[in-house]
Amino acid sequence: MEVSVTLWVLTIVGLAALIAVDFFIGRKPHDVSIKEAGIWTGVWIALAGLFGLGLLLFGGGEPAGEFFAGFITEKSLSVDNLFVFVLIMAKFAVPSQYQQRVLLIGVLIALVLRAVFIAAGAAILASFAWVFYIFGAFLIYTAWKLIQEARADEDDEEFEENKLLKAAERRFGVADRYHGTKLWIEENGKRIMTPMLVVMLAIGTTDVLFALDSIPAIFGLTQDPYIVFTANAFALMGLRQLYFLIGGLLKKLVHLSYGLSVILGFIGVKLVLHALHESGVHVPEISIPVSLGVICSVLIVTTITSLRASKKQAEAERAAAESGDTSKDSVEA
């Protein structure tokens, strides 16, 4: 798909305008209700759908299919980010009324960093076709790693600050409490960071680790930088509302890691087949409609099995609690 500089500029300006409107509406710190989160989640998904339809009308079915496949993939992978966001919020004891602002700025930092990753990835793939082998192998390895982590006991998992964040804290210092939405304050004649800024940096820089698998994954679906960037942008910008909407449901998605591992493994195989095809080897390639069908099917099955497993576990725990209460009453009698 040929994308002019004008279209790039208009797209970035349009996204910036949407972000500004989102920021203006939620500029006052407040606790986000389920209703508000649901409305804005629907708005961002609708905007992504309209953008995809625009691609269909002006670019054809292939770019539109690539966008929707990339958007759904990035959206599903971004849900995994929410687990870490919950850990970060707990680690820094972020007051509930400030969490919306923290997520907005943190996601904006993540989007800028991802744009750099996308530009670098597109340049590398355009010059070195063999990189598809590396991307494919990395995704297959990541899929296997996800399965291993899903089997491990992670009940005591805690967020650990990365080296960049620790270096910034040592360099500038951090206040001992929150000062509203301020990012910097003066203390003893020295300008230091507030915990608010630290949390924003934590969310933005931690997302880079997730981009290491999500960016190669979407490049496995399309090599068009414009589609890769817009799919990432729409997936990330709706992430803040999704955090408040399904935050309480995250623990019920017990099979999410398995589903994501299947998706990443599938795209990894797709990348390897594409690399072999580019090398002149006659192998079948996986089409975008097939990719979209597999991704959607895996997510639907994963959600259904997760909710069923969570329901059974809750019933078992309730039965065990009732049994314990009955035994206690018998002993007392």
Side-chain angles (χ1 to χ4, degrees):
M1 178 178 170
E2 292 292 331
V3 180
S4 64
V5 175
T6 303
L7 182 56
W8 267 107
V9 172
L10 289 175
T11 301
I12 293 173
V13 169
L15 286 172
L18 291 173
I19 293 168
V21 170
D22 192 2
F23 179 82
F24 178 78
I25 292 175
R27 69 188 184 283
K28 184 178 180 181
H30 65 284
D31 292 325
V32 179
S33 65
I34 296 296
K35 180 181 178 181
E36 180 184 348
I39 290 173
W40 276 101
T41 297
V43 167
W44 279 106
I45 292 176
L47 289 172
L50 290 174
F51 182 83
L53 290 177
L55 286 177
L56 178 63
L57 292 174
F58 298 103
E62 185 175 354
E66 291 176 351
F67 171 79
F68 283 118
F71 171 73
I72 294 172
T73 299
E74 292 299 313
K75 198 71 174 176
S76 60
L77 290 173
S78 68
V79 171
D80 207 30
N81 297 22
L82 298 183
F83 287 98
V84 179
F85 290 174
V86 170
L87 295 177
I88 292 175
M89 294 295 187
K91 168 78 174 181
F92 294 98
V94 182
S96 59
Q97 67 269 27
Y98 298 142
Q99 290 183 4
Q100 184 184 24
R101 178 69 61 84
V102 166
L103 287 170
L104 176 61
I105 305 301
V107 166
L108 285 177
I109 295 172
L111 182 57
V112 172
L113 295 176
R114 285 200 180 202
V116 175
F117 268 60
I118 291 167
I124 292 172
L125 290 175
S127 304
F128 309 102
W130 51 265
V131 174
F132 282 112
Y133 288 109
I134 297 177
F135 277 10
F138 178 73
L139 289 179
I140 294 172
Y141 166 76
T142 304
W144 172 246
K145 189 178 178 181
L146 268 178
I147 293 176
Q148 289 183 316
E149 290 176 354
R151 291 178 175 177
D153 184 9
E154 298 180 352
D155 290 339
D156 298 326
E157 185 179 1
E158 292 184 2
F159 171 73
E160 190 172 324
E161 298 179 28
N162 54 57
K163 293 181 179 179
L164 180 63
L165 196 59
K166 290 179 179 178
E169 291 176 359
R170 288 195 300 269
R171 171 66 179 81
F172 299 104
V174 183
D176 58 356
R177 63 183 178 85
Y178 286 88
H179 293 262
T181 57
K182 291 182 178 179
L183 306 182
W184 298 89
I185 62 166
E186 292 282 345
E187 189 174 276
N188 298 324
K190 182 182 178 183
R191 189 175 172 83
I192 63 173
M193 299 189 299
T194 66
M196 175 74 75
L197 178 57
V198 175
V199 180
M200 291 175 178
L201 293 174
I203 289 177
T205 55
T206 301
D207 182 79
V208 174
L209 301 177
F210 291 95
L212 293 177
D213 54 46
S214 66
I215 298 301
I218 193 170
F219 270 117
L221 299 170
T222 176
Q223 285 81 59
D224 190 327
Y226 181 76
I227 296 177
V228 173
F229 173 73
T230 51
N232 267 272
F234 280 107
L236 278 180
M237 291 316 303
L239 189 60
R240 179 168 61 101
Q241 288 78 17
L242 200 61
Y243 171 87
F244 296 104
L245 183 63
I246 68 170
L249 298 176
L250 286 176
K251 292 184 178 181
K252 294 185 178 181
L253 299 177
V254 293
H255 297 159
L256 178 63
S257 293
Y258 294 105
L260 295 181
S261 68
V262 172
I263 292 173
L264 290 177
F266 169 77
I267 298 176
V269 171
K270 184 179 185 299
L271 271 173
V272 172
L273 291 175
H274 177 73
L276 290 171
H277 183 78
E278 291 292 312
S279 301
V281 180
H282 296 290
V283 293
E285 285 203 86
I286 302 173
S287 66
I288 288 297
V290 171
S291 299
L292 189 57
V294 170
I295 292 168
C296 291
S297 298
V298 170
L299 291 175
I300 292 171
V301 171
T302 299
T303 302
I304 293 173
T305 57
S306 293
L307 294 178
R308 285 182 176 177
S310 297
K311 184 179 180 180
K312 289 182 179 179
Q313 183 178 359
E315 291 175 350
E317 291 176 353
R318 186 163 53 251
E322 291 175 354
S323 176
D325 291 339
T326 302
S327 300
K328 183 178 178 180
D329 291 340
S330 297
V331 171
E332 289 178 351

